[in-house]
Amino acid sequence: MTNTANETTRFNWARAAGLAYLGVAILAGFAEFSVRTGMVVQGDAAATMSAITADQTTYALAGIADLFVLLLDAFLGLAFWVLLKQVDKNLALLALFLNLLRLPWMGANVVYHFGVLLLVNGALPSFPPEQVQDLIQFLLNLHAYGYTANGIFFGAWCFTIGLLFYRSGFVPKLLGIVMMLALAGYWTDLFVVFLAPELEPMVSPLAVIPAALAEIATCLWLTIMGGRVHRRFISVHARAAVA
């Protein structure tokens, strides 16, 4: 085995991917579901602005958490590329491109989050309070739509990673199947939000929650069982090098 191959297999990419994925889940859950969902009062822009104004530190931390998610996602894309390129190089490259494609989208989406913070701190002093409140609600709505629209890239990424898992021989096929099924959840949410918003409260949780649980199962399994995955990965990598 060459020195390059030794360097590739010495580092436990499976556990690193699991830890990065776990970090993404924790930080994204804090930012999106704890902070933004907790502060937004549906149908009441004044109450939403009041909630954000009262706890600007937590709101700002949510935006910073979003930025760290982008960093971890970039590393996660690299980790899965190294881990899975021996399974199918073209599919692994597709997964890497899908990941890189969505990162600028989500990075731009964070701007809406911080734009709210600017408005709360008087960025438009000539605007009456009612207009500022409406602008805050508008930016939050744009952020929510951007988050949902990201599902078209993220769902495709989940499917590609799931297919690679299924074919790998060193990740349980069941994890591959549930990751592939996550595409259906994220794409269902996408179409419901934009084409049938009246169904969103009923359909979206049923679509997204199972997909999110599939991701959590994957990151926990890679983190906890990373040693076993790493040993199998080394074996597959060695056979490929000999061939």
Side-chain angles (χ1 to χ4, degrees), residues 11-101:
F11 184 73
N12 191 329
W13 290 99
R15 179 159 288 139
L19 289 170
Y21 213 156
L22 186 60
V24 167
I26 292 171
L27 291 172
F30 164 72
E32 182 65 16
F33 301 107
S34 178
V35 177
R36 276 186 291 268
T37 300
M39 289 185 173
V40 173
V41 181
Q42 295 297 330
D44 194 336
T48 297
M49 180 176 176
S50 178
I52 295 171
T53 303
D55 196 355
Q56 294 183 46
T57 300
T58 300
Y59 185 84
L61 284 173
I64 294 171
D66 285 330
L67 296 176
F68 275 106
V69 165
L70 296 176
L71 281 177
L72 288 172
D73 264 333
F75 175 80
L76 184 61
L78 172 65
F80 276 145
W81 158 253
V82 174
L83 191 65
L84 298 168
K85 64 182 178 180
Q86 293 295 341
V87 179
D88 188 315
K89 189 172 184 179
N90 290 330
L91 274 179
L93 191 60
L94 174 61
L96 182 62
F97 280 153
L98 286 169
N99 188 63
L100 293 176
L101 181 63

Side-chain angles (χ1 to χ4, degrees), residues 35-36 39 48-67 109-125 132-133 135-140 143:
V35 177
R36 276 186 291 268
M39 289 185 173
T48 297
M49 180 176 176
S50 178
I52 295 171
T53 303
D55 196 355
Q56 294 183 46
T57 300
T58 300
Y59 185 84
L61 284 173
I64 294 171
D66 285 330
L67 296 176
N109 206 43
V110 178
V111 174
Y112 300 135
H113 177 93
F114 284 115
V116 170
L117 204 57
L118 287 173
L119 290 173
V120 164
N121 284 287
L124 297 174
V132 174
Q133 293 163 11
L135 280 171
I136 287 173
Q137 190 63 61
F138 178 67
L139 289 178
L140 288 169
H143 184 279

